Amino acid sequence: MIRMRRRAALCLLAVLLPLHALAQAPKPVRARIAVASNFADVARVLAADYGKRTGHRIEVSAASTGKLYAQVHAGAPFDALLSADAATPRRLVAEGLARGDTVFDYATGRLVLWSRDPGLVRDGEALLRKGSIPRLAIANPALAPYGVAARDVLQHVRRWQELQPRLVMGENIGQAMQFVASGAAPLGLVPRSLVLQARRRTPGSAWEVPAHWHAPIVQSAVLLAHGEGNAAATGFLRYLRSPEGRARIRARGYD
C-alpha cells in the first residue's frame, strides 16, 4: 500500500512539475529596436531567427544614425539602438538615455566603390584618384557614419573639394545605395554588406576600399532607458554577441 501511494505521488509530481515550469516561463514580449539603415536587412534576419528561438517579437525601425539619435531624444519608444558608429550609443549613455554597462561593438563595416555597370569599376583605385566621375552617391556625412567614411576616402585621394558638386547625397546609406541601383548615380561609396545583397540581382562591378583610407566604421549597440526590464530587447542584444549571431553578421559582409 505504501509503495502504491508513493507511485501515485510520483506520477502526480511528474504532471505538476511541467505545469509549474510552464507557469513560471517568461511570456513572449515585444521590443522595438532602432537600427542604422546599413544594418536593417541583417537585423531583420537576426530578429526572425531570434524570434523562432525565443518566441519574442523584435520590431526593426531603420533610419540614419543621426535621425535615430534625434528620435530617441524626442521620446521615441525604442528599447535598444544598433548604431552605425561607436560614438552615438556612448553619447546617449552620457546623456542618461541608455545603459552604460550594455554598450558593445557588434560589427565593423567596410566601404566599396560600386556600380551597376559591370564594366565601369575595373581599377577602383585609379578611378577614385584620377578617373572621370560624373556623379557619386554617398550618405550625408552630417547624418550617417558611412557618409563620414566616404568623405574620408575622398579626402584621402584629395578629391573631396573637386567632387562635391557631383555628389548625390542620401539622407541614409540605404538611399545612397538606391541612387546607384536606380542609375541616378553611376557610382557610389557604399557598404560591402549592401553590395553583397545587391549583386544577387545586379552583379555590376565593385572595388573594396582599403580599410586604412578611412576611420574604422565600428558599429555599437546599447540598451536604451526605455528598454530596461524588456526581456526581448536584452535577449536580442545577447543573441547578437552569441557565436550564432556573430556568424550571421560576418556572413553578410561585416568584419
Side-chain angles (χ1 to χ4, degrees):
M1 180 65 71
I2 294 174
R3 287 182 179 178
M4 291 179 63
R5 288 177 178 174
R6 284 179 178 173
R7 287 178 183 173
L10 288 173
C11 290
L12 180 61
L13 186 62
V15 172
L16 292 177
L17 279 177
L19 292 175
H20 175 75
L22 184 61
Q24 295 298 314
K27 294 180 180 179
V29 296
R30 182 186 71 167
R32 286 190 67 193
I33 311 296
V35 181
S37 296
N38 72 284
F39 199 75
D41 288 341
V42 184
R44 292 186 181 102
V45 170
L46 294 168
D49 183 57
Y50 173 73
K52 289 177 184 176
R53 293 167 182 259
T54 64
H56 293 316
R57 180 182 174 188
I58 301 296
E59 294 182 359
V60 172
S61 296
S64 68
T65 295
K67 278 203 164 186
L68 293 174
Y69 171 80
Q71 289 172 13
V72 171
H73 261 272
F78 297 136
D79 298 300
L81 169 68
L82 305 187
S83 177
D85 66 358
T88 300
R90 290 161 177 84
R91 185 177 176 186
L92 288 169
V93 168
E95 294 166 344
L97 296 173
R99 283 271 306 273
D101 58 348
T102 66
V103 178
F104 68 96
D105 302 335
Y106 67 90
T108 300
R110 295 295 302 273
L111 269 184
V112 167
L113 180 67
W114 180 62
S115 173
R116 72 175 191 171
D117 181 343
L120 185 55
V121 184
R122 297 182 183 276
D123 184 337
E125 180 170 359
L127 183 55
L128 278 175
R129 287 190 181 277
K130 55 186 178 182
S132 173
I133 300 178
R135 290 182 307 284
L136 177 69
I138 69 170
N140 187 339
L143 296 172
Y146 278 85
V148 175
R151 182 179 61 195
D152 286 350
V153 169
L154 296 178
Q155 289 174 337
H156 179 82
V157 297
R158 300 182 180 180
R159 298 190 72 183
W160 172 246
Q161 295 298 331
E162 171 198 343
L163 292 176
Q164 278 196 57
R166 287 173 259 171
L167 295 179
V168 183
M169 288 194 188
E171 70 174 26
N172 57 57
I173 197 61
Q175 189 177 68
M177 188 74 186
Q178 185 57 36
F179 289 150
V180 187
S182 67
L187 289 162
L189 282 168
V190 291
R192 177 174 66 186
S193 57
L194 296 186
V195 171
L196 289 177
Q197 294 176 36
R199 295 186 83 173
R200 296 172 192 164
R201 304 181 299 272
T202 307
S205 54
W207 178 73
E208 191 166 304
V209 176
H212 68 274
W213 282 24
H214 57 81
I217 310 171
V218 177
Q219 303 191 197
S220 297
V222 69
L223 182 72
L224 298 171
H226 186 273
E228 287 198 55
N230 186 307
T234 55
F236 184 64
L237 293 183
R238 282 197 303 272
Y239 171 66
L240 290 182
R241 305 177 78 169
S242 71
E244 297 84 359
R246 295 292 306 148
R248 286 177 176 269
I249 291 169
R250 286 193 297 271
R252 283 161 177 79
Y254 293 90
D255 290 345

